[in-house]
Amino acid sequence: MTEQAPITSNFIREIILEDLKTNKYQGRVQTRFPPEPNGYLHIGHAKAICLDFGLADEFKGHTNLRFDDTNPSKEETEYVESIQQDVKWLGFQWDSLFYASDYFDQLYEWAVQLIKAGKAYVDDLSADQIREYRGTLTQPGRNSPHRDRSVEQNLDLFERMKRGEFPDGSRTLRAKIDMASPNLNLRDPVMYRILHAHHHRTGDKWCIYPMYDYAHGQSDSLEKVTHSMCTLEFEDHRPLYNWFIEQLGIFPSRQIEFDRLNLTYTLLSKRKLLQLVEERHVNGWDDPRMPTISGIRRRGYTPEAIRNFCNSIGVSKTNGSIELAMLEHFVREDLNKRAPRAMAVLRPLKVVIDNYPEHKVDELDAINNPEDASAGIRKVPFSRVLYIEQDDFRENPPKQYYRLSPGREVRLRYGYLITCTSVVKNEKDEVLEVHCSYDPATRGGNAPDGRKVKSTIHWVSAAHAVDAEVRIYETLFTKEDPNQVELGKDFTSNLNPNSLEIIREAKLEPSLATPQVGARYQFERLGYFCADPDSKPGHPVFNRTVALKDTWAKIEKKAPVDPGRGRPA
Ligand code: ATP
Ligand code: MG
């Protein structure tokens, strides 16, 4: 791995250190990353992955990848594969790969054990009735009329549930805990439900499936996970997690909760991301506008940038929201070090150098990466007709506009000083081409007499230019919190209609004719760009990863970063 942001200490690390000191787990640290294979991983999962793998690595421990596949109707093999690819791409390798479904037999045996101990019973209440009996935060629940069935009766009914004798939803197995507990999770939680559904791994073997709360802790325990990190919404489930482990007398894994990552202008919920894909608001899970790992990979984000971001935001015990600009800051910081520079003109304006010989081609030296001397130099062809950005020319320049305009001299990057002599316009008064003269004594960009120009602009030789498509992205949502919607509308009403702009007439320097898919460049003065899989030889397609302007750096300057949180104080 390359250079990383230093790992700031956090309360989870402190807990692990304490457990090591007291020898609670014989000096072992073992974690797991437990995705449900019901969608693609997103940047929020990256935070969990960096914690699970990062903390285990730090203490020379182990990390399992475990698919939490207890919900057969929503899970698919496609997701299982993409999740493995994404974890690896982020730079992590699991020690063992497991599926919660590997444990179905063991979980069933344990359920029988709890029935025999009088700690679980078969209930005939419907889901609605269970909810009604459960009570509220201020009112205790009521016992189900079936709560006091005999052990024999429960064993018989549970066995028959498993054999498929009863229809979906007609019965459940529930833990017998306390219907008056102030913690609703302890009011006889459901352990098993009947679901005649095909499972991606166990096929039709089962028609009862364990609930998350019954499966998760026991899976941790079976794998001898020492520290089981999950997000804050499971804090109230921890007593139940511990209850099952205690009743069964099995390995005491420890659940620790931390805050979910939320990012401004971004939704991090697989269910909502699935809706965006299914309703075709985006072009698939790997659309570069998506916050999925596959989306940001296609967009050009690097695993190093994501890891540095995750390490820098740290963890806490309260949910908040991180500025998207901060993630982009880490992307720029990493790409600045590693992305080779190139010249590209997105909105071309033709420039003719009248005093440059018609068929002459000059091969100019261009620096590949000023941040990395070992990246060397390349040759860029220069000729009489060039393209520059439309934005880099103004016929009537406003104050403080120092780029090209009639009579003004500017520097062409790696090239010559040129002065605008005239413009050609159409009948609508639009500038069609700009005529200039160049000073042959300024090759490389400096005048021997030391005269200064205020501006350097990029360019591409027209005769050598490669036509390309460039896709420019804005945030997918217009609201900082896309969940904030008017009554009766859903989050899709906050979609940004300008989130994708396709530029079909971009002109690139010839070295970019056939880039490797995924290759990342800095297009000088424009931002970072990444070659898309839609590229064809000689006709590349680039995604803009991120623009050069660093709004985060500005925010940061105004409000120093709290090292624990990484957002403006
Ligand atoms: P979603 O609501 O997007 O489906 P989830 O929590 O149901 O998310 P899982 O596949 O169950 O997704 O998550 C696997 C692990 O990743 C869990 O430990 C979960 O707590 C963690 N995780 C999921 N989303 C985030 C997030 N936004 N920030 C940090 N960790 C997350
Ligand atoms: Mg989930």
Side-chain angles (χ1 to χ4, degrees):
M1 282 185 199
T2 55
E3 201 181 315
Q4 299 247 330
I7 299 173
T8 42
S9 198
N10 60 57
F11 69 93
I12 302 181
R13 208 166 157 269
E14 298 301 325
I15 291 174
I16 294 178
L17 284 169
E18 183 62 26
D19 286 346
L20 288 172
K21 212 159 77 189
T22 60
N23 212 25
K24 183 169 176 197
Y25 296 110
Q26 289 73 50
R28 264 186 345 105
V29 174
Q30 185 170 327
T31 62
R32 86 290 169 260
F33 173 63
E36 185 181 349
N38 62 347
Y40 280 61
L41 295 184
H42 52 61
I43 178 87
H45 292 110
K47 170 174 173 172
I49 290 170
C50 288
L51 265 181
D52 293 330
F53 285 87
L55 282 168
D57 280 351
E58 186 184 345
F59 297 104
K60 310 224 171 342
H62 295 280
T63 307
N64 297 335
L65 174 60
R66 184 202 314 139
F67 289 104
D68 220 322
D69 57 349
T70 52
N71 196 0
S73 43
K74 286 196 277 172
E75 292 156 3
E76 285 178 34
T77 312
E78 175 197 347
Y79 300 137
V80 167
E81 280 159 14
S82 75
I83 289 169
Q84 295 186 50
Q85 184 193 4
D86 290 349
V87 172
K88 283 190 204 156
W89 179 79
L90 280 171
F92 298 106
Q93 182 57 56
W94 50 90
D95 294 284
S96 308
L97 177 69
F98 294 115
Y99 294 82
S101 56
D102 293 339
Y103 308 136
F104 282 174
D105 284 303
Q106 176 67 74
L107 290 170
Y108 181 82
E109 268 176 47
W110 276 337
V112 169
Q113 188 182 322
L114 289 174
I115 294 174
K116 286 181 178 163
K119 301 285 183 184
Y121 62 97
V122 172
D123 198 0
D124 300 354
L125 294 185
S126 67
D128 283 342
Q129 288 169 318
I130 289 181
R131 209 169 301 125
E132 191 195 313
Y133 273 72
R134 208 158 77 122
T136 63
L137 282 172
T138 50
Q139 281 199 317
R142 284 178 291 141
N143 286 353
S144 161
H146 313 288
R147 196 175 197 260
D148 293 318
R149 280 178 163 149
S150 68
V151 169
E152 290 66 36
Q153 217 181 349
N154 281 322
L155 286 174
D156 172 61
L157 283 171
F158 188 48
E159 166 76 27
R160 287 164 63 196
M161 276 170 66
K162 181 194 178 199
R163 281 208 303 257
E165 290 187 20
F166 309 122
D168 288 1
S170 60
R171 289 197 158 92
T172 55
L173 183 74
R174 297 178 69 177
K176 198 181 212 174
I177 307 181
D178 179 6
M179 288 307 291
S181 170
N183 184 336
L184 271 69
N185 293 296
L186 295 180
R187 293 185 188 172
D188 291 9
V190 173
M191 295 164 58
Y192 273 92
R193 63 206 193 285
I194 302 175
L195 205 63
H196 290 82
H198 188 84
H199 186 279
H200 76 122
R201 292 190 78 241
T202 58
D204 297 317
K205 175 174 175 191
W206 296 90
C207 62
I208 55 171
Y209 288 94
M211 302 299 287
Y212 173 91
D213 281 322
Y214 180 63
H216 201 93
Q218 281 73 278
S219 302
D220 285 344
S221 182
L222 279 166
E223 292 170 20
K224 301 226 162 15
V225 167
T226 57
H227 300 88
S228 174
M229 273 80 83
C230 62
T231 34
L232 282 175
E233 66 271 24
F234 292 104
E235 195 164 18
D236 291 344
H237 296 236
R238 188 180 349 125
L240 181 55
Y241 179 103
N242 292 337
W243 189 87
F244 283 124
I245 285 179
E246 280 158 23
Q247 297 302 320
L248 294 167
I250 54 179
F251 183 84
S253 301
R254 175 171 188 170
Q255 177 181 303
I256 306 167
E257 310 84 18
F258 64 92
D259 59 324
R260 275 184 101 78
L261 172 66
N262 294 304
L263 270 181
T264 55
Y265 301 101
T266 308
L267 279 179
L268 298 178
S269 144
K270 278 181 286 189
R271 182 176 61 78
K272 289 175 183 165
L273 297 179
L274 176 65
Q275 187 182 337
L276 291 175
V277 173
E278 283 182 338
E279 294 177 2
R280 297 184 168 272
H281 299 292
V282 294
N283 303 313
W285 285 99
D286 70 343
D287 186 306
R289 290 168 293 180
M290 289 282 270
T292 51
I293 303 297
S294 50
I296 59 187
R297 171 168 61 228
R298 183 167 177 184
R299 176 131 170 193
Y301 284 26
T302 62
E304 291 82 358
I306 297 167
R307 291 199 303 261
N308 286 343
F309 167 73
C310 289
N311 288 340
S312 132
I313 57 176
V315 284
S316 89
K317 274 285 186 190
T318 46
N319 282 319
S321 181
I322 303 279
E323 302 276 347
L324 179 61
M326 180 176 176
L327 173 59
E328 294 182 336
H329 164 80
F330 280 94
V331 173
R332 281 189 197 95
E333 188 182 66
D334 188 46
L335 288 175
N336 182 41
K337 282 183 278 180
R338 61 172 75 231
R341 274 47 171 177
M343 289 202 285
V345 172
L346 300 189
R347 294 173 180 83
L349 172 65
K350 198 188 258 187
V351 169
V352 182
I353 317 277
D354 292 313
N355 61 338
Y356 196 86
E358 189 112 25
H359 296 294
K360 184 173 167 183
V361 177
D362 198 354
E363 296 282 343
L364 299 170
D365 286 340
I367 296 165
N368 283 331
N369 188 348
E371 303 290 321
D372 175 8
S374 71
I377 55 164
R378 68 186 185 288
K379 298 286 183 192
V380 182
F382 181 89
S383 63
R384 188 168 190 265
V385 182
L386 312 172
Y387 294 115
I388 65 167
E389 295 290 344
Q390 289 166 15
D391 257 358
D392 284 338
F393 177 80
R394 286 282 179 280
E395 193 184 7
N396 303 298
K399 253 204 186 128
Q400 294 188 316
Y401 182 93
Y402 299 119
R403 292 174 253 169
L404 199 62
S405 56
R408 170 84 48 76
E409 185 170 50
V410 300
R411 176 184 298 109
L412 292 174
R413 184 83 165 134
Y414 307 118
Y416 299 89
L417 301 188
I418 58 168
T419 304
C420 174
T421 49
S422 64
V423 298
V424 177
K425 297 205 271 190
N426 63 12
E427 64 284 0
K428 283 190 263 168
D429 213 31
E430 295 162 341
V431 176
L432 294 182
E433 68 185 51
V434 172
H435 285 254
C436 293
S437 64
Y438 86 114
D439 178 351
T442 59
R443 190 175 190 273
N446 288 312
D449 64 3
R451 73 180 186 276
K452 297 269 185 281
V453 295
K454 278 209 164 132
S455 179
T456 301
I457 65 177
H458 61 275
W459 52 274
V460 170
S461 163
H464 304 87
V466 174
D467 291 319
E469 178 175 318
V470 175
R471 300 172 184 167
I472 306 284
Y473 302 102
E474 280 181 19
T475 56
L476 190 51
F477 295 97
T478 50
K479 282 229 174 79
E480 260 195 44
D481 175 6
N483 283 317
Q484 212 177 62
V485 289
E486 287 165 36
L487 207 67
K489 293 196 170 166
D490 82 346
F491 67 92
T492 57
S493 64
N494 287 329
L495 279 163
N496 178 0
N498 304 317
S499 60
L500 168 63
E501 180 194 1
I502 300 179
I503 296 174
R504 295 181 202 280
E505 251 99 77
K507 304 284 185 185
L508 315 183
E509 67 168 70
S511 72
L512 296 177
T514 307
Q516 246 185 35
V517 168
R520 308 178 185 96
Y521 298 88
Q522 184 195 101
F523 290 176
E524 296 209 28
R525 299 177 64 231
L526 296 175
Y528 295 97
F529 293 77
C530 179
D532 191 83
D534 289 346
S535 298
K536 306 254 171 337
H539 190 89
V541 175
F542 276 94
N543 297 309
R544 186 172 74 189
T545 309
V546 63
L548 283 182
K549 186 179 61 156
D550 194 344
T551 42
W552 172 251
K554 272 190 229 150
I555 298 171
E556 197 179 25
K557 224 177 262 167
K558 269 192 261 155
V561 182
D562 166 358
R565 296 295 306 140
R567 43 185 166 137

